[in-house]
Amino acid sequence: MTVPLLEVEGLSGAFRSPGGEMTPVLFDVGFALQPGVITAIVGETGSGKSLTALSILGIQPPNFQRSSGRILFEGRDLLALPAEEIRAIRGRRISMVFQDARAALNPVFTVGRQLADVHRLHHGGSAAAAMCRAIEALRSVAIPEPERRARQYPHEFSGGMAQRAMIAMAALVCAPRLVILDEPTTGLDVTIQAAIMELIAELVAERGLTACLITHDLGVVAETCANVVVMQSGRVVEAASTEAIFTRPRHAYTQRLLAASLLEDSAEPVPA
Ligand SMILES: Nc1ncnc2c1ncn2[C@@H]1O[C@H](COP(=O)(O)OP(=O)(O)O)[C@@H](O)[C@H]1O
Ligand SMILES: [Mg+2]
């Protein structure tokens, strides 16, 4: 067994309503991320996937209150670190891609400028050198004409292009050990989804990245993910290799998710 890059242990917590009542949403969540592969976290909307991811980065909503848990990364418990140490890890060692890339990009700066600024923040160097690295990063995620694209603003990018630019930022410009992708293809059309998944798989294979892919769609994990963590109602109900999940799902909920993803596939139009 290889040593996991990150381990979540016994993570529990609740949301506080404005009236002060606590609603528990995470129950003893635990799983491990093995280095150099993609692990999927799957589960229907509201199962606690995003909250788990945000907890890893220490950016949970202010009304979320953790009651227990440890998140071990490179030998340290992220949940016990002082704020400035977490800030140093966020971006540099662990980065995140959110569902809506265009909303995550700043509308008033060009895409190239934003990538270059993040590059300088993490690696220093001149503005011109950072812009060259930004353009290289856009090229690596198969954005055509990266020099021209770098001078454009986020609104000039399609959803799929913006998502590629965010992946370039999180996985290449930041050069992290771990990238967390929270529903990076939700809302994009099926062929673009597939191209983005392929891109993520390539980056992981070629650069020794470790990735955690959050999705509510088991269909997208089959080809790219080594391991799967299944969450339901704030709990991990099953965690295993992708092969085991697809061939021998043990939990009834996993079986239902699989059946649902098979149904969706067969609902696609059959060529005449
Ligand atoms: N800011 C918030 N305030 C109150 N409840 C929240 C907030 N964000 C998420 N929740 C609740 O926490 C649970 C887990 O949410 P989330 O982690 O976003 O689920 P997922 O990403 O799997 O769709 C859900 O029941 C959701 O309604
Ligand atoms: Mg979510």
Side-chain angles (χ1 to χ4, degrees), residues 146-168:
E147 291 87 358
R148 185 176 69 85
R149 286 293 188 169
R151 290 193 297 271
Q152 292 186 328
Y153 291 86
H155 74 266
E156 299 175 84
F157 275 49
S158 66
M161 284 286 168
Q163 203 54 272
R164 282 172 184 272
M166 275 311 294
I167 291 168

Side-chain angles (χ1 to χ4, degrees), residues 14-17 23-26 41-54 60-64 182-183 214-216 231 233-234:
F15 274 106
R16 180 187 297 279
S17 76
T23 308
V25 286
L26 294 182
I41 301 183
V42 301
E44 67 205 358
T45 301
S47 53
K49 306 181 299 296
S50 293
L51 210 49
T52 301
L54 296 173
Q60 319 87 309
N63 55 332
F64 176 75
D182 192 355
E183 311 236 9
I214 297 176
T215 174
H216 62 264
M231 289 189 71
S233 310

